[in-house]
Amino acid sequence: TEKQLMRRAFLRGSRRLLCTPQQVEDQTAPDGKSDTWSFGHTILEPQVGYGKVFDLQTINAGIKEKWHNQTLCQVNDSYVRLGIFEGEFHWHSHENDDELFFVVSGKLLLDVEGEGTYELGPQQGYTVRKGVQHRTRAEERTVVLMVETSKVNPRGDD
């Protein structure tokens, strides 16, 4: 079917890379575009080009890691990223950039310094202002879309 073909093509574009223990420790990967390290897999380059249809349910079904962060596409100077969270990320901030979290499925706990914890369910979102310390937590598999400028380091502190 068309969905199966799209999934195969997408997964070929976001293949999992085998890294040496040193590359994992250094948080680098063979192609310099993705990382496999302590909390999951990160794909930095946009995986879907302009004028292409993508299906979050299909993409999500192909990801088995508890933590996964991949850039889906670029919109002007921003990236739309897919995050799959289960567990706790570290406290961090992005000094020059805001960050939007929009929950697709699951429940995201978003700790924001000076404000407390926001509990976001499906179809709910929150924008963290630039320079504000925050962290994400999820007790169950949670799928999130994030919108941030292409300058933001998706692994934390810029």
Side-chain angles (χ1 to χ4, degrees):
T1 68
E2 185 175 327
K3 265 189 173 181
Q4 289 171 324
L5 289 173
M6 184 171 65
R7 181 170 187 250
R8 272 188 247 135
F10 186 87
L11 290 175
R12 268 198 309 274
S14 63
R15 70 192 185 286
R16 304 300 190 263
L17 298 169
L18 298 175
C19 298
T20 67
Q22 187 61 47
Q23 288 167 325
V24 171
E25 186 176 323
D26 294 343
Q27 300 180 3
T28 62
D31 66 359
K33 296 179 183 177
S34 63
D35 292 323
T36 301
W37 42 304
S38 59
F39 64 84
H41 193 81
T42 302
I43 300 172
L44 300 175
E45 294 298 314
Q47 299 297 296
V48 181
Y50 293 101
K52 305 284 184 187
V53 174
F54 59 92
D55 182 308
L56 287 181
Q57 186 173 1
T58 302
I59 296 167
N60 179 27
I63 298 169
K64 303 304 178 206
E65 296 100 350
K66 288 188 176 194
W67 278 89
H68 182 90
N69 187 327
Q70 79 179 53
T71 304
L72 292 174
C73 60
Q74 184 168 355
V75 179
N76 299 316
D77 293 333
S78 294
Y79 282 154
V80 177
R81 292 192 164 111
L82 171 68
I84 296 180
F85 305 149
E86 188 175 340
E88 183 177 299
F89 197 57
H90 63 91
W91 283 94
H92 66 283
S93 66
H94 308 287
E95 290 308 311
N96 300 306
D97 299 286
D98 300 330
E99 184 174 21
L100 168 74
F101 294 90
F102 182 82
V103 177
V104 176
S105 65
K107 179 174 74 173
L108 180 68
L109 299 173
L110 182 60
D111 299 321
V112 180
E113 184 179 52
E115 296 180 32
T117 300
Y118 295 95
E119 184 176 307
L120 303 176
Q123 309 304 308
Q124 293 183 314
Y126 183 87
T127 303
V128 177
R129 294 190 57 76
K130 63 184 167 188
V132 175
Q133 288 282 318
H134 61 284
R135 72 172 175 176
T136 55
R137 296 181 289 133
E139 296 171 358
E140 61 188 41
R141 183 180 177 93
T142 300
V143 179
V144 176
L145 288 177
M146 296 161 290
V147 179
E148 52 202 13
T149 69
S150 56
K151 298 172 189 165
V152 167
N153 175 357
R155 299 173 206 111
D157 294 320
D158 295 332

